[in-house]
Amino acid sequence: MGKVLVTGGAGYIGSHVVKALGEKGYDIIVYDNLSTGNQWAVLYGELVIGDILDLIMMRKVFINNKIDVVIHLAACIIAPESVEQPLKYYMNNVCGTLNLLQVMAETKVNKFIFSSTAAVYGIPQEIPVTENSAIAPISPYGQSKAIIEKIINDIAKAADLQYITLRCFNVAGADLYGRIGEGKPQSTHLITSCVRTALNPISCLNVYGNDYPTTDGTGIRDYIHVDDLASAFTMSLQYLLDGGKSLVCNCGYGRGYSVLEVMEATKKLTGVNINVAFKERRLGDPPILIADSQKLKQSLNWQPRYNDLHCIIESALRWEQKIMKNGNFIVKC
């Protein structure tokens, strides 16, 4: 086969997807503007620094390479930020993806794997959430992903496009060998924030909302280890190469943990008391999000390997201990 193009492949999830593809011997081109990604995180393939909003640059990449499959992970992904900066999210996520799909059509690349989000469900009426649950996003971030999903579906009806949309729930953890992990100094991922707070005695963990209709008042999420999510992408790739039909699948474990439960698990693992600052709820945050991933398991034979909160936190801790040698990440109250 030709090459696999991974947009956003220098980012947190993208770099783990690239690692998984590289370990399986795929020929990879990583396309990333490095706005939130890092060059050091790209362990395999060729890195091309470019933006999905740069149609001319993307066209050159496709023309100069025989690309068979596109895995699209380049996106702005912070729901509360999207409420404050909706134009940024619609411009980058929607317009950038349209550019990508246009170049794919021009160069007759017809296999596409899209990284979507549980945020498309908004505040779900049923838990766990299935792929048939109502699409009702409550943030511009979720809305941008829902719009892209609709665009992909419409194109597939009109043209030869096989696709898999993976609706990712809360991604956490790091490479088990400590090679790569979360690389942003100001992470919005809860488990990363918990670990960084535990490693910095003068810092504190901001908890946004303790009055949700949950057992302890804090939001509940389905946390999936980043390597398990990466395996869903590699299995999706092989599925499409084998002639599989288009799919939309949830990616999660089907078990939720509250913010305070994650905090207590981190405290138990590290032996450090975590300072907490309770804040008002953030716009765009639903109370509970838990996945039903039976479709992913049945369609792709995907089986999670790291479905354990302790394992997820431990891998994140190991990574943060490594990178703290080069600088501290401090979350101030």
Side-chain angles (χ1 to χ4, degrees), residues 60-128:
K60 287 180 180 178
V61 172
F62 277 80
I63 292 173
N64 294 334
N65 297 276
K66 186 182 184 305
I67 294 170
D68 282 342
V69 186
V70 174
I71 299 178
H72 181 36
L73 294 124
C76 299
I77 62 168
I78 304 173
E81 180 188 63
S82 76
V83 176
E84 299 172 355
Q85 301 181 54
L87 183 59
K88 172 183 175 180
Y89 277 71
Y90 290 121
M91 180 65 72
N92 184 82
N93 294 1
V94 178
C95 296
T97 304
L98 283 171
N99 282 345
L100 181 59
L101 290 166
Q102 178 179 332
V103 177
M104 286 178 60
E106 291 172 359
T107 55
K108 296 181 169 50
V109 178
N110 68 346
K111 292 179 175 58
F112 188 59
I113 301 169
F114 175 56
S115 178
S116 190
T117 173
V120 299
Y121 297 116
I123 302 176
Q125 300 302 307
E126 56 183 0
I127 297 293

Side-chain angles (χ1 to χ4, degrees), residues 30 49-50 66 93 130 133-134 149 159 191 217 219 229 249 252 257 259 262 307 309 332:
V30 174
I49 300 175
K66 186 182 184 305
N93 294 1
T130 73
S133 297
E149 286 195 22
I191 288 178
L229 180 60
C249 296
Y257 295 93
V259 173
V262 172
N307 184 3
L309 184 62
K332 296 182 179 180

Side-chain angles (χ1 to χ4, degrees), residues 12-13 16-17 171-175 224-231 253:
Y12 172 46
I13 297 175
H16 286 79
V17 171
V171 189
D175 172 59
I224 178 173
H225 193 283
V226 65
D227 277 344
D228 274 337
L229 180 60
S231 72
Y253 289 149

Side-chain angles (χ1 to χ4, degrees), residues 77-289:
I77 62 168
I78 304 173
E81 180 188 63
S82 76
V83 176
E84 299 172 355
Q85 301 181 54
L87 183 59
K88 172 183 175 180
Y89 277 71
Y90 290 121
M91 180 65 72
N92 184 82
N93 294 1
V94 178
C95 296
T97 304
L98 283 171
N99 282 345
L100 181 59
L101 290 166
Q102 178 179 332
V103 177
M104 286 178 60
E106 291 172 359
T107 55
K108 296 181 169 50
V109 178
N110 68 346
K111 292 179 175 58
F112 188 59
I113 301 169
F114 175 56
S115 178
S116 190
T117 173
V120 299
Y121 297 116
I123 302 176
Q125 300 302 307
E126 56 183 0
I127 297 293
V129 182
T130 73
E131 292 82 0
N132 293 323
S133 297
I135 301 301
I138 59 173
S139 69
Y141 165 58
Q143 186 71 273
S144 72
K145 292 285 190 173
I147 290 170
I148 297 166
E149 286 195 22
K150 183 65 168 65
I151 291 170
I152 294 168
N153 185 56
D154 287 344
I155 292 173
K157 290 177 180 177
D160 179 22
L161 178 68
Q162 281 79 51
Y163 69 89
I164 293 185
T165 293
L166 297 178
R167 292 174 180 161
C168 308
F169 281 62
N170 283 61
V171 189
D175 172 59
L176 297 183
Y177 297 99
R179 292 170 292 178
I180 52 175
E182 173 64 84
K184 290 186 292 186
Q186 300 300 323
S187 172
T188 58
H189 294 101
L190 174 64
I191 288 178
T192 297
S193 297
C194 280
V195 168
R196 289 179 180 175
T197 305
L199 292 174
N200 289 276
I202 65 171
S203 65
C204 73
L205 177 70
N206 290 331
V207 176
Y208 296 94
N210 60 350
D211 58 350
Y212 284 108
T214 61
T215 53
D216 61 20
T218 62
I220 294 175
R221 297 292 184 270
D222 188 337
Y223 296 94
I224 178 173
H225 193 283
V226 65
D227 277 344
D228 274 337
L229 180 60
S231 72
F233 277 91
T234 60
M235 296 178 84
S236 296
L237 172 61
Q238 193 57 53
Y239 172 88
L240 289 181
L241 291 174
D242 290 340
K245 297 180 180 179
S246 296
L247 290 171
V248 176
C249 296
N250 288 334
C251 296
Y253 289 149
R255 165 71 193 274
Y257 295 93
S258 73
V259 173
L260 294 185
E261 286 176 323
V262 172
M263 185 192 73
E264 285 300 319
T266 306
K267 176 182 175 181
K268 184 176 180 180
L269 180 64
T270 61
V272 177
N273 187 45
I274 297 175
N275 299 314
V276 174
F278 288 105
K279 307 287 186 178
E280 292 184 1
R281 295 186 192 184
R282 297 179 301 188
L283 294 174
D285 279 351
I288 304 174
L289 271 177

Side-chain angles (χ1 to χ4, degrees), residues 20-90:
L21 292 170
E23 290 173 345
K24 291 184 177 296
Y26 289 102
D27 193 359
I28 309 158
I29 294 180
V30 174
Y31 188 82
D32 199 299
N33 66 7
L34 300 184
S35 60
T36 58
N38 297 281
Q39 189 167 350
W40 52 256
V42 181
L43 302 183
Y44 294 89
E46 174 190 353
L47 173 62
V48 176
I49 300 175
D51 199 296
I52 57 174
L53 290 173
D54 188 341
L55 183 62
I56 296 174
M57 180 69 176
M58 272 203 299
R59 189 174 281 127
K60 287 180 180 178
V61 172
F62 277 80
I63 292 173
N64 294 334
N65 297 276
K66 186 182 184 305
I67 294 170
D68 282 342
V69 186
V70 174
I71 299 178
H72 181 36
L73 294 124
C76 299
I77 62 168
I78 304 173
E81 180 188 63
S82 76
V83 176
E84 299 172 355
Q85 301 181 54
L87 183 59
K88 172 183 175 180
Y89 277 71
Y90 290 121

